[in-house]
Amino acid sequence: MPTIAQSERAELADLFEAIGPDAPTLCSGWTTADLAAHLVVRERRPDSTPGIRLGAFAGWTERVRLGALHERGYAGLIRDLRSGPPRWSPFGLPGVDGLANSVEMFVHHEDVRRAQDGWEPRALSAGVQKALWRTLGMARILLRSASSGVTLAAPGIGERVAKAGEPMVVVTGEPAELILFCYGRQQHSRVTIEGDAAAADQLRAADLGV
């Protein structure tokens, strides 16, 4: 049975093919071609990964990404994405793809889906939702810029205090929606926020994610 990373990767590759290289995404300023290049470079050019997080290396990362887009073309990027990380990539080590790419592929799949007109949340299985819930253990990092305490609640699954503090607000939704919220896609996630109104407004507008 495929892992979440594998199934999301395959569905995202299918979607890239279906809507073409110039479709919008939720990644600011990026088309589908730009996002495909990012995903391929992330797995195949480890030398470029520091620039994803560190501004001092961002220029090099962008040059590598644009080079991959130019050299491979959109069809080549989709082919490389679909085939998965090569064995020599850190993501190609046994078990690493499932651990490191489940959320990455899920979030970017939704970055494409939810940038299109008429999108609706997918009906994900209970098993997938529970697996996504487990990944929210890192929500303490994702929510570090929140000015209030934050509790995440997934009806029928559980709840966790993701950030201690007062006032405390409660963000409720399916685990998939909570992940998108915590990764900075607040305006495109189907959640409810209860608690102090000012804190809730700040959280909706905060620069969340890693």
PDB file of all heavy atoms in Angstrom, residues 38-63:
ATOM      1  N   HIS A  38      10.685  23.544  -7.768  1.00  0.00           N
ATOM      2  CA  HIS A  38      11.070  23.537  -6.353  1.00  0.00           C
ATOM      3  C   HIS A  38      11.087  22.122  -5.792  1.00  0.00           C
ATOM      4  O   HIS A  38      12.040  21.718  -5.108  1.00  0.00           O
ATOM      5  CB  HIS A  38      10.092  24.404  -5.551  1.00  0.00           C
ATOM      6  CG  HIS A  38      10.076  24.093  -4.084  1.00  0.00           C
ATOM      7  ND1 HIS A  38      11.094  24.477  -3.235  1.00  0.00           N
ATOM      8  CD2 HIS A  38       9.166  23.411  -3.319  1.00  0.00           C
ATOM      9  CE1 HIS A  38      10.823  24.048  -2.005  1.00  0.00           C
ATOM     10  NE2 HIS A  38       9.664  23.404  -2.031  1.00  0.00           N
ATOM     11  N   LEU A  39      10.043  21.363  -6.076  1.00  0.00           N
ATOM     12  CA  LEU A  39       9.940  20.008  -5.528  1.00  0.00           C
ATOM     13  C   LEU A  39      11.041  19.097  -6.050  1.00  0.00           C
ATOM     14  O   LEU A  39      11.615  18.296  -5.299  1.00  0.00           O
ATOM     15  CB  LEU A  39       8.570  19.426  -5.850  1.00  0.00           C
ATOM     16  CG  LEU A  39       7.400  20.074  -5.105  1.00  0.00           C
ATOM     17  CD1 LEU A  39       6.071  19.628  -5.695  1.00  0.00           C
ATOM     18  CD2 LEU A  39       7.468  19.753  -3.615  1.00  0.00           C
ATOM     19  N   VAL A  40      11.361  19.208  -7.330  1.00  0.00           N
ATOM     20  CA  VAL A  40      12.400  18.369  -7.917  1.00  0.00           C
ATOM     21  C   VAL A  40      13.774  18.760  -7.379  1.00  0.00           C
ATOM     22  O   VAL A  40      14.586  17.900  -7.002  1.00  0.00           O
ATOM     23  CB  VAL A  40      12.357  18.459  -9.456  1.00  0.00           C
ATOM     24  CG1 VAL A  40      13.596  17.814 -10.076  1.00  0.00           C
ATOM     25  CG2 VAL A  40      11.087  17.791  -9.985  1.00  0.00           C
ATOM     26  N   VAL A  41      14.070  20.047  -7.318  1.00  0.00           N
ATOM     27  CA  VAL A  41      15.376  20.511  -6.830  1.00  0.00           C
ATOM     28  C   VAL A  41      15.567  20.136  -5.363  1.00  0.00           C
ATOM     29  O   VAL A  41      16.669  19.747  -4.948  1.00  0.00           O
ATOM     30  CB  VAL A  41      15.487  22.035  -7.044  1.00  0.00           C
ATOM     31  CG1 VAL A  41      16.611  22.619  -6.198  1.00  0.00           C
ATOM     32  CG2 VAL A  41      15.721  22.344  -8.518  1.00  0.00           C
ATOM     33  N   ARG A  42      14.506  20.237  -4.587  1.00  0.00           N
ATOM     34  CA  ARG A  42      14.592  19.897  -3.165  1.00  0.00           C
ATOM     35  C   ARG A  42      15.101  18.479  -2.964  1.00  0.00           C
ATOM     36  O   ARG A  42      15.871  18.205  -2.029  1.00  0.00           O
ATOM     37  CB  ARG A  42      13.212  20.066  -2.534  1.00  0.00           C
ATOM     38  CG  ARG A  42      13.089  19.630  -1.077  1.00  0.00           C
ATOM     39  CD  ARG A  42      11.685  19.919  -0.573  1.00  0.00           C
ATOM     40  NE  ARG A  42      11.445  19.296   0.725  1.00  0.00           N
ATOM     41  CZ  ARG A  42      10.982  18.070   0.891  1.00  0.00           C
ATOM     42  NH1 ARG A  42      10.727  17.320  -0.186  1.00  0.00           N
ATOM     43  NH2 ARG A  42      10.775  17.586   2.104  1.00  0.00           N
ATOM     44  N   GLU A  43      14.690  17.558  -3.833  1.00  0.00           N
ATOM     45  CA  GLU A  43      15.089  16.162  -3.682  1.00  0.00           C
ATOM     46  C   GLU A  43      16.381  15.811  -4.408  1.00  0.00           C
ATOM     47  O   GLU A  43      17.051  14.849  -4.030  1.00  0.00           O
ATOM     48  CB  GLU A  43      13.978  15.253  -4.217  1.00  0.00           C
ATOM     49  CG  GLU A  43      12.698  15.314  -3.399  1.00  0.00           C
ATOM     50  CD  GLU A  43      11.638  14.340  -3.874  1.00  0.00           C
ATOM     51  OE1 GLU A  43      11.616  14.025  -5.090  1.00  0.00           O
ATOM     52  OE2 GLU A  43      10.843  13.893  -3.036  1.00  0.00           O
ATOM     53  N   ARG A  44      16.735  16.570  -5.433  1.00  0.00           N
ATOM     54  CA  ARG A  44      17.843  16.181  -6.296  1.00  0.00           C
ATOM     55  C   ARG A  44      19.053  17.105  -6.232  1.00  0.00           C
ATOM     56  O   ARG A  44      20.088  16.781  -6.821  1.00  0.00           O
ATOM     57  CB  ARG A  44      17.343  16.077  -7.746  1.00  0.00           C
ATOM     58  CG  ARG A  44      16.357  14.946  -7.942  1.00  0.00           C
ATOM     59  CD  ARG A  44      15.660  14.993  -9.280  1.00  0.00           C
ATOM     60  NE  ARG A  44      14.706  13.902  -9.405  1.00  0.00           N
ATOM     61  CZ  ARG A  44      14.944  12.728  -9.987  1.00  0.00           C
ATOM     62  NH1 ARG A  44      16.128  12.517 -10.537  1.00  0.00           N
ATOM     63  NH2 ARG A  44      14.027  11.796 -10.030  1.00  0.00           N
ATOM     64  N   ARG A  45      18.934  18.218  -5.536  1.00  0.00           N
ATOM     65  CA  ARG A  45      20.067  19.129  -5.387  1.00  0.00           C
ATOM     66  C   ARG A  45      20.220  19.514  -3.925  1.00  0.00           C
ATOM     67  O   ARG A  45      19.837  20.612  -3.502  1.00  0.00           O
ATOM     68  CB  ARG A  45      19.871  20.366  -6.265  1.00  0.00           C
ATOM     69  CG  ARG A  45      20.032  20.126  -7.750  1.00  0.00           C
ATOM     70  CD  ARG A  45      21.485  19.800  -8.122  1.00  0.00           C
ATOM     71  NE  ARG A  45      22.398  20.864  -7.739  1.00  0.00           N
ATOM     72  CZ  ARG A  45      22.738  21.885  -8.541  1.00  0.00           C
ATOM     73  NH1 ARG A  45      22.248  21.948  -9.774  1.00  0.00           N
ATOM     74  NH2 ARG A  45      23.577  22.809  -8.139  1.00  0.00           N
ATOM     75  N   PRO A  46      20.778  18.616  -3.116  1.00  0.00           N
ATOM     76  CA  PRO A  46      20.923  18.911  -1.683  1.00  0.00           C
ATOM     77  C   PRO A  46      21.707  20.187  -1.409  1.00  0.00           C
ATOM     78  O   PRO A  46      21.507  20.822  -0.367  1.00  0.00           O
ATOM     79  CB  PRO A  46      21.684  17.677  -1.153  1.00  0.00           C
ATOM     80  CG  PRO A  46      21.387  16.601  -2.135  1.00  0.00           C
ATOM     81  CD  PRO A  46      21.268  17.283  -3.471  1.00  0.00           C
ATOM     82  N   ASP A  47      22.593  20.577  -2.348  1.00  0.00           N
ATOM     83  CA  ASP A  47      23.382  21.795  -2.136  1.00  0.00           C
ATOM     84  C   ASP A  47      22.511  23.042  -2.124  1.00  0.00           C
ATOM     85  O   ASP A  47      22.938  24.096  -1.641  1.00  0.00           O
ATOM     86  CB  ASP A  47      24.448  21.929  -3.220  1.00  0.00           C
ATOM     87  CG  ASP A  47      23.849  22.036  -4.615  1.00  0.00           C
ATOM     88  OD1 ASP A  47      23.081  21.128  -5.016  1.00  0.00           O
ATOM     89  OD2 ASP A  47      24.125  23.025  -5.311  1.00  0.00           O
ATOM     90  N   SER A  48      21.293  22.936  -2.654  1.00  0.00           N
ATOM     91  CA  SER A  48      20.437  24.120  -2.729  1.00  0.00           C
ATOM     92  C   SER A  48      19.467  24.235  -1.558  1.00  0.00           C
ATOM     93  O   SER A  48      18.806  25.266  -1.406  1.00  0.00           O
ATOM     94  CB  SER A  48      19.627  24.101  -4.034  1.00  0.00           C
ATOM     95  OG  SER A  48      18.604  23.132  -3.985  1.00  0.00           O
ATOM     96  N   THR A  49      19.378  23.203  -0.727  1.00  0.00           N
ATOM     97  CA  THR A  49      18.349  23.210   0.315  1.00  0.00           C
ATOM     98  C   THR A  49      18.540  24.262   1.412  1.00  0.00           C
ATOM     99  O   THR A  49      17.541  24.742   1.955  1.00  0.00           O
ATOM    100  CB  THR A  49      18.209  21.819   0.961  1.00  0.00           C
ATOM    101  OG1 THR A  49      19.482  21.387   1.453  1.00  0.00           O
ATOM    102  CG2 THR A  49      17.691  20.814  -0.051  1.00  0.00           C
ATOM    103  N   PRO A  50      19.770  24.655   1.783  1.00  0.00           N
ATOM    104  CA  PRO A  50      19.872  25.674   2.837  1.00  0.00           C
ATOM    105  C   PRO A  50      19.127  26.960   2.504  1.00  0.00           C
ATOM    106  O   PRO A  50      18.589  27.623   3.393  1.00  0.00           O
ATOM    107  CB  PRO A  50      21.386  25.917   2.954  1.00  0.00           C
ATOM    108  CG  PRO A  50      21.994  24.621   2.534  1.00  0.00           C
ATOM    109  CD  PRO A  50      21.110  24.123   1.420  1.00  0.00           C
ATOM    110  N   GLY A  51      19.064  27.313   1.240  1.00  0.00           N
ATOM    111  CA  GLY A  51      18.406  28.554   0.851  1.00  0.00           C
ATOM    112  C   GLY A  51      16.900  28.534   0.992  1.00  0.00           C
ATOM    113  O   GLY A  51      16.252  29.581   0.919  1.00  0.00           O
ATOM    114  N   ILE A  52      16.325  27.360   1.216  1.00  0.00           N
ATOM    115  CA  ILE A  52      14.881  27.288   1.444  1.00  0.00           C
ATOM    116  C   ILE A  52      14.528  27.940   2.774  1.00  0.00           C
ATOM    117  O   ILE A  52      13.467  28.538   2.924  1.00  0.00           O
ATOM    118  CB  ILE A  52      14.403  25.818   1.413  1.00  0.00           C
ATOM    119  CG1 ILE A  52      14.641  25.233   0.011  1.00  0.00           C
ATOM    120  CG2 ILE A  52      12.937  25.704   1.791  1.00  0.00           C
ATOM    121  CD1 ILE A  52      14.327  23.746  -0.083  1.00  0.00           C
ATOM    122  N   ARG A  53      15.438  27.847   3.729  1.00  0.00           N
ATOM    123  CA  ARG A  53      15.194  28.393   5.072  1.00  0.00           C
ATOM    124  C   ARG A  53      16.059  29.614   5.392  1.00  0.00           C
ATOM    125  O   ARG A  53      15.653  30.459   6.183  1.00  0.00           O
ATOM    126  CB  ARG A  53      15.468  27.311   6.116  1.00  0.00           C
ATOM    127  CG  ARG A  53      14.646  26.044   5.946  1.00  0.00           C
ATOM    128  CD  ARG A  53      13.248  26.191   6.489  1.00  0.00           C
ATOM    129  NE  ARG A  53      12.495  24.962   6.309  1.00  0.00           N
ATOM    130  CZ  ARG A  53      11.613  24.768   5.358  1.00  0.00           C
ATOM    131  NH1 ARG A  53      11.360  25.730   4.488  1.00  0.00           N
ATOM    132  NH2 ARG A  53      10.957  23.621   5.265  1.00  0.00           N
ATOM    133  N   LEU A  54      17.261  29.683   4.792  1.00  0.00           N
ATOM    134  CA  LEU A  54      18.217  30.715   5.175  1.00  0.00           C
ATOM    135  C   LEU A  54      18.370  31.741   4.056  1.00  0.00           C
ATOM    136  O   LEU A  54      18.768  31.407   2.942  1.00  0.00           O
ATOM    137  CB  LEU A  54      19.574  30.080   5.494  1.00  0.00           C
ATOM    138  CG  LEU A  54      19.560  29.011   6.593  1.00  0.00           C
ATOM    139  CD1 LEU A  54      20.922  28.354   6.714  1.00  0.00           C
ATOM    140  CD2 LEU A  54      19.126  29.624   7.918  1.00  0.00           C
ATOM    141  N   GLY A  55      18.049  32.979   4.367  1.00  0.00           N
ATOM    142  CA  GLY A  55      18.072  34.042   3.370  1.00  0.00           C
ATOM    143  C   GLY A  55      19.419  34.233   2.706  1.00  0.00           C
ATOM    144  O   GLY A  55      19.491  34.598   1.525  1.00  0.00           O
ATOM    145  N   ALA A  56      20.496  33.971   3.433  1.00  0.00           N
ATOM    146  CA  ALA A  56      21.829  34.184   2.869  1.00  0.00           C
ATOM    147  C   ALA A  56      22.096  33.273   1.680  1.00  0.00           C
ATOM    148  O   ALA A  56      22.933  33.588   0.825  1.00  0.00           O
ATOM    149  CB  ALA A  56      22.887  33.954   3.955  1.00  0.00           C
ATOM    150  N   PHE A  57      21.402  32.139   1.612  1.00  0.00           N
ATOM    151  CA  PHE A  57      21.619  31.182   0.526  1.00  0.00           C
ATOM    152  C   PHE A  57      20.461  31.150  -0.465  1.00  0.00           C
ATOM    153  O   PHE A  57      20.448  30.328  -1.381  1.00  0.00           O
ATOM    154  CB  PHE A  57      21.815  29.773   1.106  1.00  0.00           C
ATOM    155  CG  PHE A  57      22.973  29.659   2.060  1.00  0.00           C
ATOM    156  CD1 PHE A  57      22.766  29.708   3.421  1.00  0.00           C
ATOM    157  CD2 PHE A  57      24.263  29.527   1.587  1.00  0.00           C
ATOM    158  CE1 PHE A  57      23.822  29.609   4.305  1.00  0.00           C
ATOM    159  CE2 PHE A  57      25.337  29.427   2.460  1.00  0.00           C
ATOM    160  CZ  PHE A  57      25.121  29.470   3.831  1.00  0.00           C
ATOM    161  N   ALA A  58      19.487  32.043  -0.277  1.00  0.00           N
ATOM    162  CA  ALA A  58      18.278  32.009  -1.099  1.00  0.00           C
ATOM    163  C   ALA A  58      18.572  32.261  -2.576  1.00  0.00           C
ATOM    164  O   ALA A  58      17.933  31.674  -3.453  1.00  0.00           O
ATOM    165  CB  ALA A  58      17.260  33.019  -0.590  1.00  0.00           C
ATOM    166  N   GLY A  59      19.529  33.125  -2.866  1.00  0.00           N
ATOM    167  CA  GLY A  59      19.858  33.429  -4.247  1.00  0.00           C
ATOM    168  C   GLY A  59      20.356  32.202  -4.995  1.00  0.00           C
ATOM    169  O   GLY A  59      19.969  31.957  -6.147  1.00  0.00           O
ATOM    170  N   TRP A  60      21.227  31.422  -4.339  1.00  0.00           N
ATOM    171  CA  TRP A  60      21.739  30.201  -4.966  1.00  0.00           C
ATOM    172  C   TRP A  60      20.605  29.196  -5.190  1.00  0.00           C
ATOM    173  O   TRP A  60      20.504  28.591  -6.262  1.00  0.00           O
ATOM    174  CB  TRP A  60      22.826  29.583  -4.099  1.00  0.00           C
ATOM    175  CG  TRP A  60      23.263  28.221  -4.540  1.00  0.00           C
ATOM    176  CD1 TRP A  60      23.108  27.045  -3.872  1.00  0.00           C
ATOM    177  CD2 TRP A  60      23.926  27.881  -5.762  1.00  0.00           C
ATOM    178  NE1 TRP A  60      23.617  26.000  -4.581  1.00  0.00           N
ATOM    179  CE2 TRP A  60      24.134  26.483  -5.764  1.00  0.00           C
ATOM    180  CE3 TRP A  60      24.355  28.628  -6.865  1.00  0.00           C
ATOM    181  CZ2 TRP A  60      24.754  25.809  -6.806  1.00  0.00           C
ATOM    182  CZ3 TRP A  60      24.983  27.961  -7.921  1.00  0.00           C
ATOM    183  CH2 TRP A  60      25.174  26.578  -7.877  1.00  0.00           C
ATOM    184  N   THR A  61      19.761  29.040  -4.202  1.00  0.00           N
ATOM    185  CA  THR A  61      18.630  28.111  -4.330  1.00  0.00           C
ATOM    186  C   THR A  61      17.739  28.499  -5.503  1.00  0.00           C
ATOM    187  O   THR A  61      17.298  27.640  -6.278  1.00  0.00           O
ATOM    188  CB  THR A  61      17.813  28.088  -3.028  1.00  0.00           C
ATOM    189  OG1 THR A  61      18.636  27.609  -1.965  1.00  0.00           O
ATOM    190  CG2 THR A  61      16.587  27.205  -3.150  1.00  0.00           C
ATOM    191  N   GLU A  62      17.505  29.784  -5.660  1.00  0.00           N
ATOM    192  CA  GLU A  62      16.651  30.239  -6.757  1.00  0.00           C
ATOM    193  C   GLU A  62      17.320  30.006  -8.110  1.00  0.00           C
ATOM    194  O   GLU A  62      16.652  29.621  -9.077  1.00  0.00           O
ATOM    195  CB  GLU A  62      16.308  31.722  -6.574  1.00  0.00           C
ATOM    196  CG  GLU A  62      15.370  32.302  -7.617  1.00  0.00           C
ATOM    197  CD  GLU A  62      13.969  31.708  -7.601  1.00  0.00           C
ATOM    198  OE1 GLU A  62      13.699  30.809  -6.771  1.00  0.00           O
ATOM    199  OE2 GLU A  62      13.148  32.134  -8.438  1.00  0.00           O
ATOM    200  N   ARG A  63      18.621  30.209  -8.189  1.00  0.00           N
ATOM    201  CA  ARG A  63      19.326  29.956  -9.448  1.00  0.00           C
ATOM    202  C   ARG A  63      19.257  28.474  -9.823  1.00  0.00           C
ATOM    203  O   ARG A  63      19.057  28.127 -10.999  1.00  0.00           O
ATOM    204  CB  ARG A  63      20.777  30.416  -9.355  1.00  0.00           C
ATOM    205  CG  ARG A  63      20.953  31.929  -9.387  1.00  0.00           C
ATOM    206  CD  ARG A  63      22.391  32.326  -9.645  1.00  0.00           C
ATOM    207  NE  ARG A  63      23.281  31.955  -8.575  1.00  0.00           N
ATOM    208  CZ  ARG A  63      23.503  32.692  -7.488  1.00  0.00           C
ATOM    209  NH1 ARG A  63      22.855  33.854  -7.339  1.00  0.00           N
ATOM    210  NH2 ARG A  63      24.348  32.288  -6.565  1.00  0.00           N
TER     211      ARG A  63
END
